[in-house]
Amino acid sequence: MPELPEVETIARALAPGLVGRVITGIDVPDAKVLAGPKRRAEFAAMAVGRTIQSVARRAKLLLLTLGPRPQVPGDGPAVLAFHLKMTGRFHIAPPGAPDPDRARLLVRLSDDNTLVFADLRRFGTARVLTPEALSAWDFYASLGPEPWDMTPDAFEAALSRKSTRIKAALLDQTVIAGIGNIYADESLFAARIRPDTPAKALTPAQRRRLLKAVQDVIAAAIAAGGSTIRDYRTPDGVEGGFQNHFQVYGKSGDPCPACTAPLTHAKIAGRTSTYCRKCQK
């Protein structure tokens, strides 16, 4: 599943081709993608005529902020929110390009380009909401702070209340937003903390070190364009590059890059976690 660095990379790549364009049409080849409104005509009516004002990310969501519809008196702004789930991809198609077979949602633009949302496994979703409805959406409202918005004191307080293991706490989107399996493993290794350590058992120094590791790992992954394990591509069709810098993720049995002892793995919070028994105490 695309995590924070991948969705941030997508948002930054799409913005120059979307901001300032007016949505002139919405085509929905696969209605399963619609999370609200769920009817094609109603969904399109909520979006068509609006100008895309910004492209941003919150946690693992891609958010297009849309201006009011000129054809609707007294209309307010809206947000087009996408959740990529496992295999969602975006690209901007030029005029005349055939619609891809796996396209789930097509956003027609005033420059005659098309924003294409394709999704092989069909788990991804799209919804159009008012800003108020977005804030009231249970999933959105439950999200924890972004890694850079999380203060050391708030991180310590959040972990001190968690009886789960620290790997599970990092994957909990209500604690800190946007982290998935890849970046949890990499951050825990950078902080030299075992993934099965109870979150509330960490010392204040360990919690501060872990928050710094999360921030550094996420920043490095964004700079590298995210990580491609199988499906992820940028809107330009390019693979991410951070997988070339993994220290532990997916490397069980390989020598630890710090001490050369064999890396091991365990199942934590339903996910495979790779770590070094020697370095991560």
Side-chain angles (χ1 to χ4, degrees), residues 62-105:
L62 183 77
L63 304 174
L64 277 57
T65 302
L66 311 177
R69 294 166 291 185
Q71 72 273 24
V72 180
D75 195 31
V79 179
L80 179 52
F82 292 92
H83 199 315
L84 284 68
K85 295 296 179 78
M86 297 295 294
T87 58
R89 286 192 198 176
F90 290 94
H91 72 275
I92 298 176
D99 296 334
D101 291 339
R102 293 166 182 167
R104 306 303 178 203
L105 188 97

Side-chain angles (χ1 to χ4, degrees), residues 23 27 73 90 93 105 152 158 172 176 189 197 218 231 247 259 277 280:
I23 297 176
D27 293 326
F90 290 94
L105 188 97
D172 184 343
I176 187 168
F189 178 74
T197 305
I218 294 291
D231 298 295
Q247 299 295 293
C259 73
R277 286 195 183 97
Q280 293 170 259

Side-chain angles (χ1 to χ4, degrees), residues 16-112:
L18 295 182
V19 173
R21 279 66 170 183
V22 177
I23 297 176
T24 59
I26 298 280
D27 293 326
V28 187
D30 182 1
K32 184 181 177 185
V33 73
L34 301 181
K38 294 192 175 184
R39 294 184 178 180
R40 288 178 170 92
E42 189 179 351
F43 189 99
M46 281 282 292
V48 170
R50 297 183 185 273
T51 299
I52 301 173
Q53 297 179 331
S54 68
V55 182
R57 175 203 55 77
R58 173 74 169 109
K60 303 176 188 180
L61 297 170
L62 183 77
L63 304 174
L64 277 57
T65 302
L66 311 177
R69 294 166 291 185
Q71 72 273 24
V72 180
D75 195 31
V79 179
L80 179 52
F82 292 92
H83 199 315
L84 284 68
K85 295 296 179 78
M86 297 295 294
T87 58
R89 286 192 198 176
F90 290 94
H91 72 275
I92 298 176
D99 296 334
D101 291 339
R102 293 166 182 167
R104 306 303 178 203
L105 188 97
L106 302 159
V107 181
R108 310 297 185 185
L109 304 172
S110 53
D111 59 2
D112 294 327

